[in-house]
Amino acid sequence: MEEQAQTTSSEAKTSPEQQPSPNQGYSWLLMAGHLCSDVNQGALLASLPFLVLYSGFSYTAVSLLILAANVASSVIQPLFGWLGDKKARPWLMALGIFLAGAGMAGVGLFSNYYLVLASAMVSGIGVAMFHPEGGRLANLVAGKKKAGGMSIFSVGGNLGFTTGPIIAAASLSAFGLAGTAVFLIPSTLCALVLLTQNKKLAAFGLRDQASVDAAGGKDHWGAFSLILGVLSFRSVLFNTLLTFVPLFLVGVLGQSEAFGSLAITAYSLVGAIATLLSGRISAKTGAQKLLLAGMAGLALIMVGFSFCHLLPSWAALPVALLLLLCAAPAVNAPYPSTVALGQGFIPNHLGMASGLTYGIAVSVGGVISPLMGMVGDAWGLTYVFALATVFALVGSAIALILLKMSRNLISR
């Protein structure tokens, strides 16, 4: 099945001579679109302190903005994926990116809280419009190199989350809340560029069902459900690292808040590099083995965080930083090839696969994160990482089952 996930894709209804050939240039274009989409998600997080300071919103009010954006984004993504499977609609990506940027601009430009809340939801809907069609086309334009194509596409999301807070902090510090208007610039430009390529991208989306079937393109929803399961656990671990490692460095190891932010920035950069290299690594190891190694590695890393504060003070911080930098490739490198693997399991529903993996599965971490916070408040951060270890072990077990199931599918 691993081979099928790397080779099955939707073929054009036109003849082979007319069919567009895989073009890595489109992969980079879709990566840029992913960046321009997700930069708004990172920026929304960074804008919360400014909204509290300048608009007088409560912590509860600003936290609802994140909840509204995430719910609007994750819940509706499968719907856009279903629409993309029915008919190629590349223009949804352009419209989605524009709405994501326009919504982010409205967060600072409006003074009424309900309009700000609506803007956050519009931004989330825009993100939801982009991902399913973007992920589906990233699979198709990659040709046979699915994992490599999804790696390029996914690194755009990493860069967006990383640069969004930087751009937001700079623009809001310089211009106040009106500085959110800057996000209209990349979103509008990127949307216009994508629209100029709409017909060519649509050609990749013309799929011949007979060709898919001839390539062994039968849908395996059971295997795909395992993909969703392991990506959900991965999402929990991803959010745990981003949320609680800085708190651990500050509250347990006695570092400054600035040091905690710097550590997460380094983690994000290493993660982006690992994401970009994911395709090459997966080509050598196989997507299932890479996934299993990543989840098992995360289990060991979470155990390390649970006990590294017991080390001598001179050793605790270096060990914690080493664990954090090791966690970056463990959580990020398997992700693109796992998404590609999931698309290979249901090749007749590439848009739905993208909507579920980029939407529902990713949102699980945000849902579980408050529960992890409750554990931390009640018993301390050591127990947060202990619970995360359990999640990583369950994810490893699912990855092992997936590996065995894939071998059975290949042998049929």
Side-chain angles (χ1 to χ4, degrees), residues 58-69:
S58 67
Y59 294 126
T60 301
V62 295
S63 65
L64 285 176
L65 299 180
I66 301 298
L67 177 62

Side-chain angles (χ1 to χ4, degrees), residues 234-253:
R234 180 258 180 198
S235 175
V236 173
L237 297 168
F238 178 81
N239 278 271
T240 297
L241 289 165
L242 285 180
T243 304
F244 295 102
V245 167
L247 296 176
F248 180 81
L249 293 174
V250 174
V252 178
L253 299 185

Side-chain angles (χ1 to χ4, degrees), residues 37 72-74 76-77 80 123-133:
S37 167
S73 176
S74 61
I76 203 171
Q77 280 197 45
F80 289 114
S123 185
I125 292 172
V127 171
M129 293 176 72
F130 172 80
H131 280 96
E133 191 70 2

